[in-house]
C-alpha cells in the first residue's frame, strides 16, 4: 500500500488544479434515470414509493406501511443498546445548546434616519423533510443534526425520510433519535423516490416546503429536478477533509485524523497539507498501521481514497502555499494541527468547518461538540455555510415611515422612479399622494 504523495513544487498549474477536483459524478446521467421515478411517485403516490423500496432497497415494504408506527418506536426504545442511547442523548444536548445560541432574535427594528424605521422579522419555515441516508450504514447522528435545529427554529411540521433496511424496517437508533428530537413522522422513503414524495406529497407522506440532508447521486439528481417545487438547500456531496499541519504537528496524529473522512466511501476526498517533509513522512508511515485496527470495508474505502488522486499527502513549499491550497480547495472539514492553531485561523477563509488543535479531531465535530455536520462540499464552502437554524427560518423586512419623515423620502423616490420609467411608482409618491393624505387628516 502506497499513500499518494503530491509535491506542489514539482506540479504544473494543471496538475495542481486536478487536485482540487471532487469525485462527485456528473448528475446528468442520473437525472435521466431519475425522471421516470419522479413521474411515478407524482402519479402513483405511495404505491410507487413502496415499489421502488422493494426494487432498489430490496426491502419488503408495502404501500400501506410506509410510516413508522407506535409499535416501531416502542420496539426501538426497548432494543437499542443503552450505551448508544446515552451517546445520542449527550450529542443531542450539545446540538440543541449550540443551535439555541445560534438562533437570531425574532425581530430587530432600527431608526434608519429620523422618522424612518426598518428591520427584519425572523420566522420559521412551515415544514421540512430531513433526509437520512442509509447506503453505507445507519446514521442516527444525522437525524439529530437536522431535526434539532429545525425544532429550535420553530418549524411546525418536521418529517424524516430514510431508506428501509433489508428487513423492511427503519433503523432502531434512527427512530430513537427522531423521538429525542421531537419528531414522530418517520417514513420508509429513500433515494429519488423519497425526494419526489416530499416534493409532491403522497397519500401518506406530506408535501414539504424544504428538504435537507446529504444523499447519493440519485438523491442529488432528484433534488435538482424538483427544485422548482421544493427548496433543496445547499448541495451536499461525498465527504472531504483537509488536515493542515505545520512543523510542530505530530504526523502520526495527522494521519490518524486523515482516515476519518476517507473511510466514508471510495468517492471521498482527504488530504494532509503540510510544508514539513518530516510530518508528511511520519503520516505516510503511520496510516497503514492504523488501517490494521479497522474493518475490511472501511480500510477498502480509506485506502482507495488515500492511495488515489483524491487523497494523500500534499507537500507545500511553505505555509503561504499550503494555506492558499486550502482556500482554493474549500474543504467540507478543515483540521489544523499545530501547537498554535489560532495563528492560522485568520487566513483560512474557505471551509465548511475549521477544527483547531490536536484535541479537536473531525470525529468530535461530526458527533458531540454541537456544531452541525451537514456541511457544504465540492467547493460550495466558498459561498455556502453549514446547516444552521437559519436554514429553517426566513426573514421578512418590516418598515414604518412617520408623516414627518415622509416628504423627504418621497421627493427622492419620485426622482428615481421617473428616471427608471415607472410612472405608477412615481405617482404613488407625487403631489397626488400628498393631496390625498391632506384630505385624510
Amino acid at each position: 500500500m502506497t499513500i499518494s504523495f503530491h509535491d506542489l513544487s514539482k506540479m504544473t498549474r494543471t496538475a495542481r488544479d486536478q487536485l482540487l477536483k471532487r469525485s462527485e459524478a456528473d448528475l446528468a446521467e442520473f437525472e435521466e434515470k431519475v425522471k421516470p421515478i419522479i413521474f411515478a411517485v407524482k402519479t402513483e403516490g405511495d404505491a410507487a414509493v413502496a415499489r421502488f423500496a422493494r426494487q432498489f432497497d430490496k426491502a419488503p415494504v408495502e404501500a400501506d406501511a410506509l410510516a413508522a408506527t407506535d409499535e416501531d418506536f416502542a420496539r426501538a426504545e426497548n432494543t437499542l443498546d443503552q450505551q448508544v442511547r446515552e451517546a445520542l442523548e449527550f450529542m443531542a444536548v450539545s446540538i440543541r445548546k449550540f443551535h439555541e445560541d445560534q438562533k437570531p432574535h425574532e425581530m430587530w427594528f432600527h431608526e434608519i434616519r429620523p422618522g424612518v424605521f426598518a428591520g427584519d422579522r425572523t420566522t420559521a419555515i412551515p415544514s421540512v423533510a430531513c433526509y437520512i441516508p442509509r447506503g453505507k450504514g445507519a446514521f442516527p447522528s444525522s437525524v439529530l443534526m437536522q431535526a434539532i435545529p429545525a425544532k429550535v427554529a420553530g418549524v411546525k411540521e418536521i418529517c424524516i425520510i430514510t431508506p428501509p433496511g433489508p428487513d423492511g424496517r427503519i433503523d432502531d437508533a434512527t427512530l430513537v433519535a427522531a423521538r429525542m428530537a421531537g419528531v414522530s413522522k418517520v417514513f420508509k422513503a429513500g433515494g429519488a423516490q423519497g425526494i419526489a414524495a416530499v416534493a409532491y406529497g403522497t397519500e401518506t407522506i406530506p408535501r414539504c416546503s424544504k428538504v435537507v440532508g446529504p444523499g447519493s447521486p440519485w438523491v442529488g439528481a432528484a433534488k435538482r429536478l424538483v427544485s422548482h417545487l421544493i427548496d433543496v438547500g445547499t448541495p451536499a456531496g461525498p465527504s472531504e477533509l483537509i488536515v493542515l499541519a505545520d512543523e510542530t504537528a505530530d504526523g502520526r496524529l495527522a494521519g490518524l485524523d486523515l482516515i476519518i473522512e476517507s473511510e466514508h466511501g471510495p468517492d471521498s476526498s482527504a488530504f494532509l497539507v503540510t510544508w514539513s517533509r518530516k510530518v508528511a513522512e511520519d503520516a505516510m508511515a503511520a496510516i497503514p498501521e492504523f488501517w490494521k485496527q479497522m474493518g475490511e470495508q472501511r480500510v477498502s474505502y480509506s485506502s482507495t481514497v488515500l492511495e488515489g488522486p483524491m487523497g494523500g499527502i500534499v507537500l507545500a513549499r511553505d505555509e503561504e502555499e499550503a494555506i492558499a491550497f486550502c482556500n482554493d480547495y474549500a474543504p467540507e472539514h478543515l483540521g489544523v494541527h499545530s501547537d498554535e492553531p489560532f495563528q492560522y485561523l485568520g487566513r483560512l477563509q474557505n471551509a465548511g468547518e475549521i477544527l483547531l488543535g490536536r484535541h479537536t479531531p473531525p470525529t468530535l465535530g461530526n458527533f458531540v461538540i454541537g456544531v452541525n455536520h451537514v456541511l457544504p462540499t465540492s467547493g460550495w464552502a466558498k459561498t455556502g455555510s453549514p446547516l444552521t437554524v437559519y436554514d429553517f427560518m426566513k426573514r421578512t423586512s418590516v418598515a414604518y415611515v412617520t408623516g414627518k419623515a415622509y416628504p423627504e423620502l418621497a421627493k427622492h423616490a419620485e426622482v428615481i422612479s421617473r428616471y427608471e420609467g415607472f410612472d405608477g411608482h412615481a405617482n404613488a409618491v407625487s403631489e397626488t399622494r400628498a393631496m390625498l393624505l391632506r384630505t385624510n387628516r
Side-chain angles (χ1 to χ4, degrees), residues 398-421:
V398 180
Y400 170 72
V401 177
T402 65
K404 186 176 181 180
Y406 169 77
E408 184 181 14
L409 271 67
K411 177 180 68 174
H412 295 297
E414 182 177 2
V415 171
I416 297 298
S417 297
R418 296 205 185 280
Y419 181 83
E420 294 191 356

Side-chain angles (χ1 to χ4, degrees), residues 168-239:
R169 294 178 172 179
I170 297 166
D171 167 64
D172 285 346
T174 295
L175 291 174
V176 171
R179 181 158 283 179
M180 285 181 186
V183 178
S184 59
K185 295 180 179 179
V186 184
F187 303 102
K188 305 168 188 176
Q193 62 271 23
I195 302 301
V198 294
Y200 287 101
T202 71
E203 300 92 327
T204 300
I205 302 171
R207 181 176 181 176
C208 295
S209 303
K210 186 168 187 172
V211 59
V212 297
S216 68
W218 295 80
V219 170
K223 284 183 177 181
R224 184 177 293 180
L225 291 175
V226 299
S227 60
H228 62 297
L229 298 170
I230 184 172
D231 183 347
V232 297
T234 302
S239 298

Side-chain angles (χ1 to χ4, degrees), residues 6 8 11-24 238-242 267-271 273 308-314 321-332 350 377-382:
H6 314 278
L8 291 181
M11 298 180 75
T12 64
R13 181 70 188 186
T14 300
R16 181 185 183 278
D17 288 346
Q18 280 295 118
L19 289 182
L20 302 179
K21 291 188 175 181
R22 309 309 206 267
S23 59
E24 191 168 12
S239 298
E240 50 190 55
L241 165 69
I242 282 182
D267 53 356
S268 298
S269 305
F271 291 105
V273 179
M310 298 293 181
I313 311 298
V314 174
E321 186 174 55
I323 289 170
F325 181 85
C326 293
N327 283 329
D328 287 344
Y329 196 89
E332 177 187 22
N350 303 322
T377 61
S378 302
W380 283 99
K382 290 181 179 178

Side-chain angles (χ1 to χ4, degrees), residues 150-168:
K151 273 288 184 182
V152 169
V155 181
K156 299 297 184 186
E157 299 292 335
I158 304 171
C159 73
I160 289 168
I161 53 173
T162 187
D167 58 0

Side-chain angles (χ1 to χ4, degrees), residues 76-78 80-89 176 180:
E77 293 283 355
N78 291 330
L80 185 65
D81 180 82
Q82 184 62 26
Q83 285 189 314
V84 175
R85 179 193 303 279
E86 290 174 359
L88 289 173
E89 288 172 344
V176 171
M180 285 181 186

